[in-house]
Amino acid sequence: MKVVVTGATGFVGRHVVACFVREGHSVVAVARDAQRGATMPWHGQAEFVACDLAADFGLVIEHSREADALIHLAWPGLPNYRDFFHIGRNLLADVAFLEAAVAAGTRQLMVAGTCLEYGMQYGPLTEEMETRPHTPYGFAKDALRKSLELLRKQQPFTLQWLRLFYMYGEGQNPNSLLAQLDRAIERGDVVFNMSTGDQLRDYLPVEEVAADFVRAATNSERCSGVINCCSGRPISVFDLVRQRCEARASSIQLNRGHYPYPDYEPMAFWGVPAKLAPLRQAT
């Protein structure tokens, strides 16, 4: 395939581009900062286009005319989930860009969604469930998906909405849990402050997330609509941290209960990857 990947230097995007390149596909990688693009491990193996999609997406539209699929990962401002700019700026900019891409001939569109679209629902979350977002970020992503579903009724195209859960790996936000733990271990800290850690979450290595993007993109006839990109296996945050300490042979003391639980997440939720599961078994 020939694919266009926006947000190509972000946490997920850098791995998605690398996975497509590794599997022998042709990639046009799009991001705002050309200097950052030059530091990516896939530099020289993918065509790079420097572009701020919110300012002028014309060049990316031209590339998407020639591509088999457009994979849209760009979304500024994360991990701030609470700010209104997700609705006031990002949502409007994405609707304009993706509408133009479809009008220009894009027939396979893959977009990154978020588990925060589900809102405060507990337990296993299925792809058919009603969405109930209560953060600006979750609301904006949910509104974008619904907008694209309405657009499909006027101009048909394949929509693949990969709803991402929790991820970890190279390039993760330095303020994320495991990144902070790794730094504490490397500094030789005696204590690591955390929440009580009883909340259940769904985590995947980012490399596996990237592989799921390739699986879905190359199997669009079997895998479309809302697609939960997750492990399907709940794990407590405490167990996640404990396992990381064991893997790194660290005896750092875990100070549980130092931080409160986030108020924008339920205590226990995880995804059901019904559409990706058979594709994973086949590879």
Side-chain angles (χ1 to χ4, degrees):
M1 296 180 71
K2 179 176 182 179
V3 298
V4 175
V5 180
T6 72
T9 60
F11 174 39
V12 177
R14 69 181 65 192
H15 293 279
V16 169
V17 172
C19 194
F20 270 102
V21 167
R22 190 164 53 247
E23 294 294 323
H25 302 286
S26 174
V27 182
V28 177
V30 180
R32 288 177 291 181
D33 190 341
Q35 291 184 333
R36 187 175 181 182
T39 68
M40 294 292 110
W42 40 257
H43 178 67
Q45 298 175 282
E47 181 179 355
F48 186 83
V49 174
C51 178
D52 183 347
L53 295 173
D56 182 5
F57 49 69
L59 185 57
V60 180
I61 296 296
E62 290 304 313
H63 281 281
S64 69
R65 292 180 196 272
E66 304 169 357
D68 297 300
L70 171 59
I71 301 171
H72 183 49
L73 305 175
W75 190 277
L78 294 177
N80 180 358
Y81 304 120
R82 304 171 188 266
D83 201 294
F84 191 80
F85 71 78
H86 292 294
I87 300 170
R89 293 201 294 275
N90 288 357
L91 172 59
L92 299 178
D94 271 24
V95 168
F97 166 55
L98 297 176
E99 180 185 14
V102 169
T106 294
R107 288 294 170 260
Q108 183 178 344
L109 178 59
M110 178 179 287
V111 184
T114 172
C115 61
L116 295 184
E117 295 169 57
Y118 290 111
M120 297 295 287
Q121 301 187 70
Y122 289 74
L125 305 176
T126 67
E127 293 152 338
E128 299 78 21
M129 286 177 67
E130 176 188 6
T131 50
R132 302 174 188 171
H134 76 294
T135 62
Y137 174 57
F139 180 92
K141 283 290 190 178
D142 192 48
L144 177 61
R145 176 184 57 82
K146 291 176 178 176
S147 299
L148 293 172
E149 289 174 348
L150 289 173
L151 181 60
R152 286 181 66 242
K153 295 180 180 180
Q154 298 182 19
Q155 193 161 353
F157 60 94
T158 298
L159 176 61
Q160 296 173 291
W161 186 267
L162 265 75
R163 196 168 275 160
L164 303 180
F165 282 67
Y166 291 80
M167 301 161 287
Y168 59 90
E170 181 185 352
Q172 65 190 328
N173 186 288
N175 293 321
S176 63
L177 176 66
L178 292 184
Q180 292 188 60
L181 175 61
D182 285 341
R183 288 200 305 276
I185 292 172
E186 289 159 6
R187 288 193 303 262
D189 292 356
V190 176
V191 175
F192 179 71
N193 294 324
M194 59 177 292
S195 69
T196 302
D198 291 330
Q199 63 271 47
L200 297 180
R201 297 288 180 266
D202 191 319
Y203 284 88
L204 263 185
V206 69
E207 296 86 357
E208 185 64 24
V209 172
D212 282 339
F213 272 84
V214 177
R215 291 183 183 108
T218 54
N219 290 277
S220 60
E221 71 287 349
R222 299 169 54 195
C223 190
S224 63
V226 172
I227 303 164
N228 276 344
C229 187
C230 55
S231 72
R233 299 181 299 274
I235 184 174
S236 73
V237 169
F238 171 67
D239 282 342
L240 181 77
V241 170
R242 180 181 55 79
Q243 289 175 13
R244 184 64 153 227
C245 290
E246 290 177 356
R248 300 204 55 174
S250 171
S251 59
I252 192 169
Q253 179 183 343
L254 302 179
N255 183 23
R256 302 175 67 185
H258 181 83
Y259 297 116
Y261 292 125
D263 61 3
Y264 57 86
E265 300 171 318
M267 274 295 294
F269 70 99
W270 58 95
V272 179
K275 295 178 182 177
L276 281 172
L279 300 184
R280 290 170 177 170
Q281 294 171 0
T283 57

